[in-house]
Amino acid sequence: MANLQFDLVSPERRLASMEASEVQIPGADGDMTAMADHAPTITTLRPGVLRVVHSGGTDEYVVVGGFAEITQSGVSVLAERAMPKSEVTQDAFNDLLAEAKAAHAQAQETFKNEPGPVDDAAKLIADMVAVGGHIGLTAND
């Protein structure tokens, strides 16, 4: 099976650079799996779990925002926030969820008669809650 180059970076650090057989991406318009010879694509990311399948197994990362560029020979993910799934503790998840809720409150204050940005901020909260549930963490109100 052909491989592709995978790179994941966030503003804080480079999280991964490896040969992979497939990369499962939580795209804003739906999940997608990139493999070698994939059609060139750029997608924005929604909060979710990004999975990388490689010769040593599968690595999982929680990503929040950013974008992925897919070429025939590789996938580059530039995430606003990213961390290995194993590093996402309940406290770290609570912090991410609190940031999303603060962004929603700010959007409600700033965009009183413009539902689009407020709806986007509310969706971010829903996506974060879903990620937490997926990885076994709970949203505490």
Side-chain angles (χ1 to χ4, degrees):
M1 178 179 270
N3 285 333
L4 53 98
Q5 176 61 36
F6 170 72
D7 293 291
L8 171 61
V9 286
S10 71
E12 295 85 26
R13 61 185 168 163
R14 168 176 259 163
L15 285 103
S17 181
M18 66 184 78
E19 290 286 316
S21 57
E22 68 181 70
V23 180
Q24 298 170 7
I25 302 165
D29 293 326
D31 293 346
M32 60 186 346
T33 300
M35 300 174 81
D37 297 325
H38 192 286
T41 306
I42 294 178
T43 185
T44 54
L45 301 176
R46 66 169 166 69
V49 177
L50 184 141
R51 286 182 188 81
V52 183
V53 179
H54 53 86
S55 61
T58 301
D59 294 341
E60 296 182 316
Y61 303 90
V62 172
V63 296
V64 180
F67 69 92
E69 178 183 22
I70 304 166
T71 65
Q72 290 182 333
S73 61
V75 175
S76 296
V77 176
L78 303 172
E80 291 175 17
R81 302 278 298 270
M83 60 187 78
K85 182 180 151 190
S86 62
E87 291 181 11
V88 183
T89 62
Q90 184 67 52
D91 287 340
F93 173 69
N94 290 344
D95 290 345
L96 290 171
L97 191 54
E99 289 175 19
K101 288 179 178 180
H104 181 252
Q106 180 65 40
Q108 287 178 311
E109 184 64 31
T110 304
F111 302 101
K112 292 201 181 285
N113 294 316
E114 299 176 53
V118 176
D119 292 346
D120 291 345
K123 182 168 180 346
L124 177 63
I125 294 172
D127 286 344
M128 289 302 304
V129 169
V131 168
H134 183 74
I135 62 175
L137 301 174
T138 58
N140 300 327
D141 289 326

